[in-house]
Amino acid sequence: MNSSVAIAMDTAADLEAQLRSQGSAYHIHHPFNRMLNEGRATPAQIRGWVANRYYYQISIPIKDAAILANCPDRQMRREWIQRILDHDGYGDDEGGIEAWTRLALAVGLRRDELEDLRHVLPAVRFAVDAYVNFARRAPWQEAMCSSLTELFAPNIHKERLANWPQHYPWIDLDGLQYFRKRLSEARRDVDHGLRVTLEYFQGPQARQRALEILKFKLDILWAMNDALAQAYGVQS
């Protein structure tokens, strides 16, 4: 991670304000994502996005399992493990990965071509793997902090739920269940991740580190969209 210009952050409230101010760098603002949400994407571009994003989806529980493996705090593990269950599924809940698979089927992909990862771009794979490797190697509190791009996630899910049915009526509405599911889950996850971050990162230097970690994760998501835009183009 590159160092950035230090910002005065004397209190936890200052850190939270700076973390929340990074929303302008969230991939909701990337030209490829704007194209998707504004109804300018072709079916091929939507399928490319869904197929590549699937690699990110299946990597999330692996990332969270790495965090748990490094975390000696039992109560933290009891809370964090819910994220793995949310994605992998548990009991009658098929989980977020299966919900994403239903989105893939709704946009015209086959299950086999999704699951064998044939459409995943090298740069997307590299970016996602970099995130998982960070979670494996970083202190567990830093790895938890990197999840805080979820601060901005509810807005992107709301946009998709509001815009996709009118822009892409050919997509079965059942395929959008992943976005509905994540609206509540992301808010819960933010509460926990933010609590850990504000408690752990004490002092100006540590708070600057937390801000750098969030920027690193924002860069991961932005780089994924850069790769998609290069491979599939951006409709004007």
Side-chain angles (χ1 to χ4, degrees):
M1 262 170 284
N2 293 326
S3 298
S4 57
V5 177
I7 298 170
M9 288 181 282
D10 297 324
T11 67
D14 292 337
L15 172 57
E16 181 174 354
Q18 286 299 323
L19 292 170
R20 293 186 181 277
S21 75
Q22 301 306 308
S24 60
Y26 191 52
H27 66 132
I28 193 173
H29 303 295
H30 192 282
F32 193 86
N33 190 77
R34 290 206 312 269
M35 175 190 70
L36 288 173
N37 285 356
E38 292 169 5
R40 293 181 280 114
T42 65
Q45 288 169 324
I46 293 173
R47 286 192 284 271
W49 176 75
V50 172
N52 277 270
R53 182 81 181 189
Y54 177 76
Y55 187 64
Y56 179 78
Q57 301 302 325
I58 62 174
S59 298
I60 290 173
I62 297 171
K63 174 267 299 185
D64 288 322
I67 294 174
L68 292 180
N70 291 330
C71 179
D73 188 314
R74 180 183 178 218
Q75 184 55 41
M76 286 295 175
R77 295 197 306 268
R78 284 168 60 90
E79 291 187 64
W80 202 265
I81 199 171
Q82 185 60 50
R83 296 169 181 247
I84 297 177
L85 301 178
D86 287 342
H87 282 83
D88 280 343
Y90 180 76
D92 294 333
D93 182 359
E94 292 183 327
I97 292 174
E98 184 60 29
W100 194 269
T101 300
R102 290 200 296 274
L103 172 62
L105 297 174
V107 303
L109 290 163
R110 301 189 314 275
R111 182 179 288 269
D112 66 303
E113 67 177 315
L114 181 75
E115 293 180 347
D116 68 15
L117 307 178
R118 71 185 68 174
H119 300 299
V120 177
L121 300 167
V124 168
R125 189 185 295 269
F126 183 86
V128 174
D129 289 352
Y131 179 40
V132 174
N133 287 331
F134 172 77
R136 286 186 175 129
R137 297 167 183 168
W140 60 270
Q141 298 96 332
E142 291 195 358
M144 287 186 178
C145 174
S146 71
S147 74
L148 284 178
T149 48
E150 291 167 338
L151 283 165
F152 320 114
N155 286 339
I156 205 168
H157 298 319
K158 285 179 182 176
E159 276 198 6
R160 290 166 184 156
L161 289 169
N163 298 338
W164 281 39
Q166 59 178 323
H167 294 318
Y168 310 115
W170 54 273
I171 300 177
D172 190 322
L173 291 178
D174 288 343
L176 304 183
Q177 178 59 27
Y178 176 87
F179 307 130
R180 300 186 193 96
K181 190 171 185 286
R182 286 304 297 166
L183 280 174
S184 59
E185 291 175 353
R187 292 189 182 98
R188 180 206 63 212
D189 292 347
V190 163
D191 288 343
H192 184 212
L194 189 59
R195 186 171 75 250
V196 172
T197 297
L198 297 181
E199 289 175 358
Y200 175 74
F201 292 90
Q202 298 287 331
Q205 187 172 357
R207 292 180 183 125
Q208 182 68 28
R209 172 65 176 167
L211 190 59
E212 290 172 358
I213 290 168
L214 178 59
K215 289 179 177 179
F216 160 74
K217 175 61 183 307
L218 288 165
D219 285 347
I220 291 288
L221 297 173
W222 197 272
M224 291 169 62
N225 279 269
D226 279 346
L228 290 165
Q230 183 176 24
Y232 298 104
V234 178
Q235 303 295 113
S236 59

